[in-house]
Amino acid sequence: MPTTPASQMRVLSILIAVGLAGCRCTPSTPLPVTLRIKNLSRDTLYVNDSRGQAGLSVQRDVAGTWFGFDDQPCACATCEQDCQTSCTCDAGVPMVRRILPDESFERTWSGVVQVSAAGRCGDCLVGENAPYDETLNLELCYVTQLPASVAVDAGRFPSEFPAAELRTCTSKTFTPSQQTVEIGPKRGAACTTTSDCQGKDELCFDGSCTAGCPSNDVPLLSGLSVPRLNNQGFFAEEGRDAGVIRSAGQGRVSTVLFQGPTMTVSLERRGSAGETLRGQVQVSLPMQLGAPLASDAGVTVRFFEDSRQPGNNAFVIRDQASGALLLAADGALSRRLLPPADLAPFSIEDAAEPFGCRQEMCGKVLFFQTRVVVGSSGVELDPGKPQPVNAPGGVYRALAAWNGVYREPNSCTVKQVRPFALWRER
């Protein structure tokens, strides 16, 4: 029997009806849901609260992928207001909220999903009441550290929130019929070493497993660097091994100049024709520290330059007569350059377990203690804190300006930063 347009319409109507019968129906009234953050961890949490969202995002499943929507939309973004040219959405002052360990904070979601639509004057948002049995996702994003420059004032304070790559996020599914959903980092298991921790990205800090980074006083930057060699004939190249260029010279210290954090040691020696050959080495140290080198002192200086890592240099200065170590500095970008023989009677060791971490632009950096060893004894060095060290022939000061290793995966070209300096005080 031939198919008429009327019969085609009846078939289409039946298909639509069958399809609708299998769908969740949109309720006539929304069901509000309490969104509660419960901080069971040992770390303070900081969340983006610029518009009162408290770091929380409600997400809907679209073809197997969670998509977040603005559950607190500006009225000007709705389709009711899309043609009102005088209506604008003010971003306001960026705000951050602090949530202490064992503290809770909550806000209410109206139960309305904001759906993007084409309005009369452009794209806009239309509210749609979420079915009471629809499975939704709640995502919480937070950080456990803020830049040292941020002044934390009470529970909520003005501040830019760190970039997305520095945040830790956790999620939990729920349905509106539950009316309350709790989310937050959990207190990690007790631990002695990181090998005791089983959770994703967890490390052992202060006897507890955590994927976050507890607060610490490690400097934001190492403050120690060794610029390239300034050679006007004083140094002669000794050789090249594994991408390290070694140069050495023997003569006297002509001047020692301190300019802010930078110490410049000028050197001189006589050439074969009686001419004056000069050179300079420099080191920038945090807190304007410096070695008390004497002018006219006879010295032997060795300089190391890393051809594989620009900016990675090191040098050591020894007394020409006795061979005693006077000053050693290693920028240690990606790797340390000073060989053990050039550090004698000292050696440098790194702790096996990190004591802290920080989320930075290129990833998570783990911090380690440094140990400077003399014979059978040693001194533990915290990053940025110089310590006195007794050694045969004098009293020295040791500084591990930083000791950080970037955890994989990360976007850094420099994978570790472990600069240090040693100098004889008397």
Side-chain angles (χ1 to χ4, degrees), residues 43 144-145 194 203-206 210 212-218 351 353-359 364-369 382-383 402-407:
D43 306 323
T144 54
Q145 293 177 335
T194 294
L203 298 166
C204 183
F205 295 136
D206 299 325
T210 176
C213 291
S215 298
N216 58 64
D217 57 358
V218 176
E353 288 283 324
F355 70 84
C357 66
R358 180 183 294 145
Q359 287 284 356
K364 181 180 285 188
V365 59
L366 310 184
F367 296 120
F368 297 81
Q369 278 192 319
D382 290 326
W402 230 59
N403 192 337
V405 177
Y406 287 93
R407 196 174 198 185

Side-chain angles (χ1 to χ4, degrees), residues 47-65:
V47 296
N48 187 358
D49 200 38
S50 297
R51 293 189 298 106
Q53 66 269 49
L56 296 168
S57 171
V58 181
Q59 300 174 335
R60 174 174 254 182
D61 184 356
V62 180
T65 301

Side-chain angles (χ1 to χ4, degrees), residues 112-140:
V112 178
V113 176
Q114 298 298 327
V115 180
S116 180
R120 293 171 299 163
C121 300
D123 293 339
C124 54
L125 297 176
V126 174
E128 178 182 294
N129 298 336
Y132 299 160
D133 61 346
E134 180 180 1
T135 299
L136 300 161
N137 191 57
L138 180 64
E139 183 180 66
L140 166 67

